Amino acid sequence: MKEETLKGWHLIWWLFTLFGFPITIPWLIYHFFDIMQRKRRKSMLSGKVVIITGASSGLGEALAHIFYDCGCKLILISRRKEELQRVKNDLMNIHVTIPTHPPVIVPLDLTNINSLQTEVSKMIDIHGKIDILINNAGISYRGEVVNTNMDVDIKVMLTNYFAQIALTKAVLPYMIQQKSGHIICVSSIQGKISIPYRSAYAASKYALQAWCDCCRAEMYDQNIKVTTVSPGYIRTSLSQNALTGNGKIYGVMDKNTQEGYSPEYVADRILKAVLKEEKDVFIAPFIPKCAVYLRTLCPSLYFWIMQKRAKKAKES
């Protein structure tokens, strides 16, 4: 019995030597150098000027903590001044050892598009530059296509698409002048695939994704990076604050949202994307990722699955 066990271990060791080492050693070397490179780039973030929209709660608040911890000079944007002040106080009280400037809070409704150029000019006056813009602000939606008022479609598109690109366009000339910059747009997995009863939301995220793909190509020679981040469900109040077809607040925390990623996890993944200068980032479980490829490789099957999902959701 002992001899058989010994032979079994010899076989396992032989297989590992034959197949394991050629895979493991290069992976460990790559992983080591990747960690070293990220540490070096993270240290280079110190002193960078970072604008974060939707910074008063949820993912935006988590992003504020993670970039402040890197020594960045933050400009935090949201409509809610009191909540922005709370986030600022938390940053300065929690990260007391971080050598950086006090965060600047800018109470601002991004849908007032015509005011954004003036507001960005004021931000430039504060620190003299803008290194990173994180377009995180957004609004969600729940409703049927046929019963949704056009005012709702317009409001969702205005918030999730037009406001984002208007702010980016106001920032880009300064980045072009300084020959550097990084734009991060928080999209959604629904910017890749749409699901029933999310039409206005998915449409706005699809549009944002397409615009970023064009901007990335056009800004390449200007040394301006563009990253789109497509997360799945995140445990925030996004679904609670979602608009319904008649413009009222949805007011419900979806089960999928409750079971979603923590804002801190997604924020950390976005930081890694910035450090590695990734272009298109998925932060989603296995099944949603498969659905993206299914939509491309076998659209008829994907459409059939969505039809079944829509029917099931309507009956429940």
Side-chain angles (χ1 to χ4, degrees), residues 155-169:
K155 184 172 183 178
V156 173
M157 187 63 76
L158 179 61
T159 303
N160 292 355
Y161 174 66
F162 288 113
Q164 313 301 316
I165 69 168
L167 181 60
T168 304
K169 286 185 176 185

Side-chain angles (χ1 to χ4, degrees), residues 13-58:
W13 177 252
W14 178 78
L15 290 172
F16 180 77
T17 304
L18 184 63
F19 299 106
F21 277 124
I23 296 173
T24 304
I25 299 303
W27 181 85
L28 288 173
I29 294 172
Y30 167 80
H31 193 60
F32 172 78
F33 281 104
D34 183 56
I35 291 173
M36 291 298 101
Q37 186 180 46
R38 271 191 282 163
K39 283 186 177 180
R40 180 179 62 84
R41 289 181 174 177
K42 187 174 181 179
S43 66
M44 293 172 65
L45 282 178
S46 180
K48 296 290 186 182
V49 179
V50 181
I51 296 176
I52 303 174
T53 69
S56 60
S57 64

Side-chain angles (χ1 to χ4, degrees), residues 208-238:
L208 184 62
Q209 177 80 46
W211 189 88
C212 287
D213 289 350
C214 292
C215 183
R216 182 185 301 112
E218 295 176 22
M219 291 295 108
Y220 176 79
D221 289 337
Q222 303 293 338
N223 193 33
I224 296 172
K225 314 298 189 300
V226 177
T227 300
T228 51
V229 181
S230 300
Y233 292 101
I234 309 173
R235 290 197 303 272
T236 68
S237 58
L238 189 67

Side-chain angles (χ1 to χ4, degrees), residues 141 156 190-191 193-195 198-207:
Y141 154 86
V156 173
Q190 292 176 52
I193 53 168
S194 56
I195 61 175
R198 304 290 192 277
S199 59
Y201 181 75
S204 66
K205 295 300 186 179
Y206 263 85

